[in-house]
Amino acid sequence: MPETASGPPAARSRRRTALLAGGVLTAVAAVTAGVLAAAGSGGGRQQARTADGLRHTTVEVTSAHCGRGWTHPEPGRQVFELRNTSGAAAEVYLTDAKTGAVYGEVEGLAPGTERPIRVTLGKGAYAFKCLPDDADAVTGPTVQITGGNVRSGPAAVPVTQQQLIPPTLAYQKWIGARTVELANKTDVLRAAIDRGDLPAARAAWLPAHLVYERMGAAYGTFGDADSAINRTTAGLSGGVRDAGFTGFHRVEYGLWHGESAGSLRGPAGRLDQAVHALRDSWPDQRMDPADVGLRAHEILENTVQLELTGRTDYGSGTNLATARANLDGTRVLLGCLRPLLKTRDKDLSGLDSWMTRARRTLDGGEHDGHWTALDALPRAQREKIDADLGELVERLADVAALTDVRRTA
């Protein structure tokens, strides 16, 4: 994906903030030492190689002089120090002059500030695009690189909101079918508790919960329904005894901690009502197309943070099953996005391979329909699960970046 530099917190988009947390910021920080070493000799001129061994070029960011300063183009790995000498904050893209593909970008570049991007450029035509706040985009002069055998990249051809509508609608339709399935399975869970059959309720709990866990990319659209259906004790002063502790995990706690069927009828009934309300309201909901690529990354990011740490286990010991369901949900969303990714993600086959690897790794925790609890896993197996899912999360960050809706005008 293209190099991304973070702007001031108020100027960052939700997607890029998430990506910075995932590791892109490290690449930007690695450049900083070299930039600081060269800052004293700066000006608006081409700079020599610095402590990082890369060529540094100071580029001006203004509406009148977007990209001024890049006068001696060369191929290879290099750093552009983007200096905003205007009176307004701006986004800045380094683009392929022919295709519009973005090789590097800076968000929220405030007046009087400077920020680096690091890119690899080969033979081709390039141009900086400056997008000031509350003003039209300005494209700077085209710069030609004519020599060398360096391969440019990575880069992302921007997607439009319109292009994201078909995959979003396809995913919404899939979610609609899942809400029906969820209601049916939650009915089974509630019925078992109502008749006092706790073994049957424990058997029914996981199938119902996994349906919900496969729907992770839609949680933001669910609104308050998500808390009613799948809340944990996080932020609740009363913990598991707090009246705000509701949904699947409240029922899970009771089923695996010796509570009576009578005490669980209320929580199970409220869970069932919340699920039916979600099913009935879903046809009127609309997901934001700009969010779907980010969700593909967030689902498994949350899995690593919550499920693989055991923070969401309230007695059933089924975190690995939940992680597997999250993976299934991610695969569905990637399938909807595939038409856009095929022309943008050069490592899509590699992502597919890691999805398959993660599935096999998680499936190693299931035996004859029973899932091993995290604390019962051998250390080597748990480390492998953590490593494989962690690597997959890093690769999914590219999907979020490639499907980001960027300003073009």
Side-chain angles (χ1 to χ4, degrees):
M1 64 183 171
E3 184 76 13
T4 305
S6 63
R12 298 175 191 168
S13 70
R14 292 173 60 205
R15 170 173 286 108
R16 294 169 192 168
T17 299
L19 293 182
L20 292 175
V24 179
L25 183 59
T26 304
V28 177
V31 178
T32 303
V35 174
L36 292 177
S41 60
R45 61 183 177 84
Q46 191 87 15
Q47 295 180 0
R49 297 180 186 277
T50 57
D52 59 10
L54 300 176
R55 186 177 183 85
H56 286 249
T57 304
T58 299
V59 173
E60 191 172 346
V61 177
T62 69
S63 296
H65 301 295
C66 179
R68 186 169 69 174
W70 189 14
T71 56
H72 298 87
E74 291 186 5
R77 189 72 167 157
Q78 54 196 287
V79 178
F80 291 97
E81 299 162 22
L82 306 182
R83 179 176 296 169
N84 187 350
T85 57
S86 74
E91 292 188 29
V92 190
Y93 302 153
L94 174 58
T95 67
D96 185 300
K98 295 181 179 179
T99 67
V102 177
Y103 286 89
E105 60 186 323
V106 168
E107 294 184 274
L109 185 63
T113 63
E114 184 176 299
R115 189 150 300 152
I117 55 173
R118 181 170 54 181
V119 295
T120 301
L121 302 179
K123 183 178 179 180
Y126 306 93
F128 279 98
K129 178 175 285 190
C130 303
L131 301 96
D133 288 355
D134 302 319
D136 293 338
V138 177
T139 301
T142 297
V143 175
Q144 295 280 347
I145 294 179
T146 57
N149 297 315
V150 178
R151 182 177 179 180
S152 301
V157 177
V159 300
T160 66
Q161 187 96 347
Q162 190 70 25
Q163 288 173 317
L164 286 168
I165 289 175
T168 303
L169 291 176
Y171 184 74
Q172 281 187 193
K173 183 177 180 180
W174 183 83
I175 288 291
R178 300 290 74 72
T179 63
V180 174
E181 180 185 6
L182 177 65
N184 291 339
K185 291 186 181 297
T186 308
D187 286 346
V188 174
L189 171 62
R190 179 182 183 177
I193 291 175
D194 282 349
R195 67 175 182 268
D197 191 343
L198 295 183
R202 283 188 285 271
W205 181 87
L206 183 59
H209 187 235
L210 294 185
V211 174
Y212 190 75
E213 290 289 345
R214 294 186 185 102
M215 301 160 65
Y219 290 172
T221 310
F222 290 167
D224 292 341
D226 182 47
S227 293
I229 293 171
N230 210 39
R231 184 164 190 172
T232 67
T233 55
L236 299 178
S237 60
V240 295
R241 302 302 176 191
D242 198 292
F245 183 34
T246 61
F248 276 112
H249 291 302
R250 169 64 185 91
V251 175
E252 176 190 11
Y253 180 83
L255 287 173
W256 275 273
H257 285 85
E259 291 190 16
S260 67
S263 68
L264 285 173
R265 288 192 180 104
R270 288 188 288 274
L271 167 63
D272 201 40
Q273 290 172 6
V275 165
H276 279 260
L278 175 64
R279 181 200 64 186
D280 295 343
S281 66
W282 183 250
D284 296 324
Q285 303 302 313
R286 295 294 179 267
M287 293 183 65
D288 185 351
D291 282 347
V292 291
L294 176 61
R295 301 299 178 225
H297 173 255
E298 283 185 338
I299 295 171
L300 289 186
E301 184 180 47
N302 289 338
T303 300
V304 170
Q305 294 171 348
L306 302 177
E307 302 304 332
L308 298 189
T309 59
R311 289 165 57 186
T312 55
D313 180 17
Y314 289 89
S316 66
T318 56
N319 286 111
L320 290 183
T322 301
R324 179 65 158 81
N326 296 161
L327 185 67
D328 290 342
T330 300
R331 186 179 294 276
V332 170
L333 185 55
L334 288 177
C336 295
L337 291 169
R338 188 166 292 271
L340 293 177
L341 295 176
K342 283 194 300 185
T343 58
R344 290 172 171 81
D345 191 347
K346 295 180 180 179
D347 194 34
L348 186 56
S349 62
L351 175 60
D352 291 338
S353 295
W354 275 94
M355 290 287 292
T356 299
R357 175 171 175 165
R359 185 192 70 217
R360 290 172 178 168
T361 300
L362 289 172
D363 284 349
E366 187 268 334
H367 303 281
D368 299 324
H370 299 283
W371 290 86
T372 305
L374 287 174
D375 57 9
L377 288 172
R379 179 175 178 176
Q381 186 177 2
R382 186 161 183 176
E383 289 177 347
K384 178 173 174 53
I385 291 171
D386 290 342
D388 286 358
L389 269 292
E391 174 65 24
L392 184 54
V393 168
E394 292 296 321
R395 289 173 177 262
L396 287 167
D398 288 358
V399 172
L402 290 168
T403 55
D404 190 11
V405 178
R406 293 172 170 85
R407 277 186 63 190
T408 57

